[in-house]
């Protein structure tokens, strides 16, 4: 490469699939590590998602315990394995998760259209090791918590939404992207109310990510994932609306939403007065010039200018 030439960006960064192979991670593990901030990513200049700097790959490969330590930091478990990890029955683990004491990090919809929540194994170990959690892991559940469970409290979806919003905001590099991340968790009817301008709303939808892919579009699993993505608690909806209004104000100040070019202004033709119209249609007759008839030119003129020839004798 010539001196002074800057290497192309793609030579300094890697696509997610290539980065996952070099780090020894599966696709889901890499995505979760990026969401958690374990792997730093940068936006693709061409707009094709995000990429991983080569320097970040080198940094991670140089850490102690690589690659097993990195893989363990993003290891997830379901309800059964999670209950074994904290040494409680599966039913008690589910009740603790419904109370919001354990926050899911991912989910999927199984073939029976049931939502299967997954939790970070490291977080469950920390929860079990915390002395404040000992009363919740053993013995009778406190009465106030039992009443909440009896009333149908289930904070797993809400806690996942809050965590996923943090993932999206961490990767947002533009005010409109941040506004779109907040809008992703609100019903479209709220967007119409908060962003009445159709051009701003259309621009906001460009940055509004959908739920994690689950099944084919319009399938029951996809509809269920979309339902989980949408806030349903009144207080949750309230603070999301406030955050979205503030984010859209910041995005407007940063860069107004694009609008179609205004058509050229066409002025109506001026009315023509009767006088001008008569001038336009009446042929012009210039007055004769004095002496013009007395100045015949050419041979014909000279012949016309002669008098009659005298008769021969």
């Amino acid at each position: 490469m010539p001196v002074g030439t800057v290497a192309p960006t793609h030579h300094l960064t890697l696509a997610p699939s290539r980065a996952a192979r070099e780090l020894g991670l599966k696709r889901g593990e890499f995505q979760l590590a990026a969401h958690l901030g374990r792997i730093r990513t940068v936006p693709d200049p061409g707009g094709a998602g995000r990429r991983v700097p080569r320097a970040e790959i080198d940094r991670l490969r140089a850490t102690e315990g690589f690659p097993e330590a990195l893989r363990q930091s993003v290891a997830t478990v379901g309800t059964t394995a999670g209950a074994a990890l904290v040494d409680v029955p599966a039913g008690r683990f589910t009740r603790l998760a419904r109370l919001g004491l354990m926050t899911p990090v991912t989910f999927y919809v199984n073939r029976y259209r049931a939502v299967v929540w997954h939790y970070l194994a490291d977080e469950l170990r920390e929860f079990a090791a915390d002395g404040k959690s000992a009363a919740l892991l053993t013995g009778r559940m406190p009465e106030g918590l039992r009443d909440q469970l009896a009333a149908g409290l289930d904070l797993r979806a809400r806690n996942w939404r809050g965590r996923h919003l943090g993932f999206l905001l961490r990767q947002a590099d533009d005010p409109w992207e941040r506004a779109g991340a907040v809008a992703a968790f609100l019903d479209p009817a709220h967007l119409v109310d908060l962003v009445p301008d159709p051009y701003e709303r259309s621009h906001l939808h460009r940055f509004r990510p959908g739920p994690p892919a689950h099944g084919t579009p319009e399938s029951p699993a996809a509809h269920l994932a979309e339902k989980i993505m949408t806030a349903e608690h009144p207080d949750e909806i309230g603070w999301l609306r406030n955050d979205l209004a503030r984010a859209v104000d910041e995005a407007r100040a940063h860069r107004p939403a694009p609008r179609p070019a205004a058509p050229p202004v066409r002025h109506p033709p001026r009315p023509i007065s009767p006088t001008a119209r008569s001038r336009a249609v009446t042929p012009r007759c210039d007055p004769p010039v004095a002496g013009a008839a007395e100045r015949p030119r050419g041979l014909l003129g000279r012949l016309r200018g002669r008098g009659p020839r005298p008769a021969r004798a």
Side-chain angles (χ1 to χ4, degrees):
M1 180 178 297
V3 177
T5 302
V6 179
T9 305
H10 279 55
H11 290 181
L12 302 176
T13 59
L14 284 75
S17 57
R18 172 72 181 278
R21 289 196 301 270
E22 294 208 9
L23 293 174
L25 298 176
K26 298 178 181 178
R27 179 180 177 182
E29 292 173 335
F30 173 85
Q31 185 178 14
L32 181 57
H35 284 173
L36 293 172
R38 306 280 198 273
I39 301 174
R40 185 176 68 89
T41 62
V42 296
D44 189 328
R50 302 184 69 84
R51 298 177 66 86
V52 182
R54 166 58 69 180
E56 179 70 0
I57 300 294
D58 296 340
R59 182 189 70 82
L60 291 169
R61 293 173 66 92
T63 56
E64 184 179 356
F66 177 85
E68 190 59 30
L70 178 60
R71 191 178 298 114
Q72 285 294 330
S73 69
V74 294
T76 61
V77 292
T79 298
T80 303
L85 201 58
V86 298
D87 197 18
V88 296
R92 192 181 189 96
F93 182 92
T94 300
R95 291 192 292 272
L96 293 174
R98 287 177 56 192
L99 289 168
L101 300 174
M102 302 169 181
T103 301
V105 70
T106 60
F107 73 91
Y108 72 91
V109 181
N110 64 14
R111 60 179 178 174
Y112 304 107
R113 301 180 187 175
V115 180
V116 180
W117 299 102
H118 274 215
Y119 308 82
L120 279 176
D122 280 352
E123 290 183 354
L124 295 183
R125 294 189 187 96
E126 293 176 3
F127 178 81
D130 189 354
K132 299 178 182 179
S133 305
L136 298 172
L137 297 175
T138 58
R140 187 174 176 82
M141 190 79 69
E143 183 178 356
L145 300 181
R146 292 201 309 270
D147 294 340
Q148 293 180 22
L149 291 171
L153 179 67
D154 190 348
L155 297 178
R156 288 175 293 182
R158 175 173 180 169
N159 285 351
W160 174 84
R161 286 192 292 269
R163 187 166 213 165
H164 194 61
L165 175 58
F167 294 164
L168 298 177
L169 291 176
R170 188 178 297 115
Q171 294 187 344
D173 300 296
D174 180 271
W176 281 105
E177 288 185 44
R178 290 191 288 273
V182 179
F185 299 89
L186 285 171
D187 187 270
H190 293 288
L191 305 187
V192 176
D193 183 31
L194 293 171
V195 190
D197 187 289
Y199 297 111
E200 287 186 340
R201 198 163 58 249
S202 176
H203 191 57
L204 181 65
H205 273 290
R206 292 182 52 199
F207 303 97
R208 186 173 182 259
H214 288 86
T216 58
E218 302 300 326
S219 66
H223 284 298
L224 184 55
E226 185 176 355
K227 181 180 178 181
I228 293 175
M229 187 85 170
T230 305
E232 55 184 356
H233 300 279
D235 58 333
E236 181 187 9
I237 293 173
W239 65 257
L240 280 172
R241 284 174 60 96
N242 292 334
D243 284 356
L244 178 59
R246 184 169 53 253
V248 170
D249 286 341
E250 294 175 356
R252 288 191 191 109
H254 174 72
R255 184 184 67 254
R259 297 176 181 274
V265 179
R266 296 184 177 182
H267 299 284
R270 292 183 179 180
I272 302 176
S273 64
T275 305
R277 188 179 297 111
S278 62
R279 290 176 180 174
V281 300
T282 304
R284 180 179 176 181
C285 298
D286 295 331
V289 180
E294 288 78 11
R295 294 198 300 269
R297 296 181 180 180
L299 177 60
L300 183 60
R302 288 197 299 271
L303 293 175
R304 289 176 177 175
R306 294 179 181 176
R309 290 183 179 181
R312 290 186 180 181

